Amino acid sequence: MQKTMDEYSKKRIAFLALHAHCQARLLNCTLAATDIHHKAGRGENHNVISSWLAVCRSCHTWIEMNPAEAKELGYSENRLN
Ligand SMILES: [Zn+2]
């Protein structure tokens, strides 16, 4: 488990370095990506970068609070489990 988290931490830092700006651009967006939203959830796809979205805290909160709308916008996928 520790190994998985180390790998995740490295990928996370690299991903946010590559995507410095928020990719969601929703209401009240601050533009500065600080979080990673996992479009396919945090299960088996946790380390799958193609399911990641760099987001600011404001957009991340909105996505978490509005799952149906986020899915329509393509920010959330059907969870596998
Ligand atoms: Zn944003």
Side-chain angles (χ1 to χ4, degrees):
M1 194 60 196
Q2 188 58 42
K3 193 163 183 278
T4 305
M5 287 311 292
D6 286 347
E7 190 188 343
Y8 172 69
S9 297
K10 283 182 203 158
K11 283 186 177 179
R12 186 182 187 283
I13 290 165
F15 189 80
L16 287 175
L18 204 62
H19 304 281
H21 297 114
C22 178
Q23 297 178 303
R25 306 290 182 99
L26 301 166
L27 192 68
N28 297 323
C29 182
T30 67
L31 296 179
T34 56
D35 292 9
I36 291 173
H37 170 60
H38 298 263
K39 291 193 285 185
R42 288 176 171 272
E44 289 184 11
N45 293 315
H46 196 213
N47 275 345
V48 180
I49 290 176
S50 62
S51 73
W52 289 8
L53 195 71
V55 289
C56 69
R57 178 109 295 263
S58 174
C59 290
H60 202 186
T61 301
W62 188 93
I63 289 169
E64 299 288 336
M65 299 300 281
N66 301 277
E69 291 89 340
K71 195 175 158 188
E72 272 182 29
L73 291 167
Y75 298 143
S76 287
E77 296 165 2
N78 283 324
R79 306 208 169 180
L80 296 175
N81 49 352

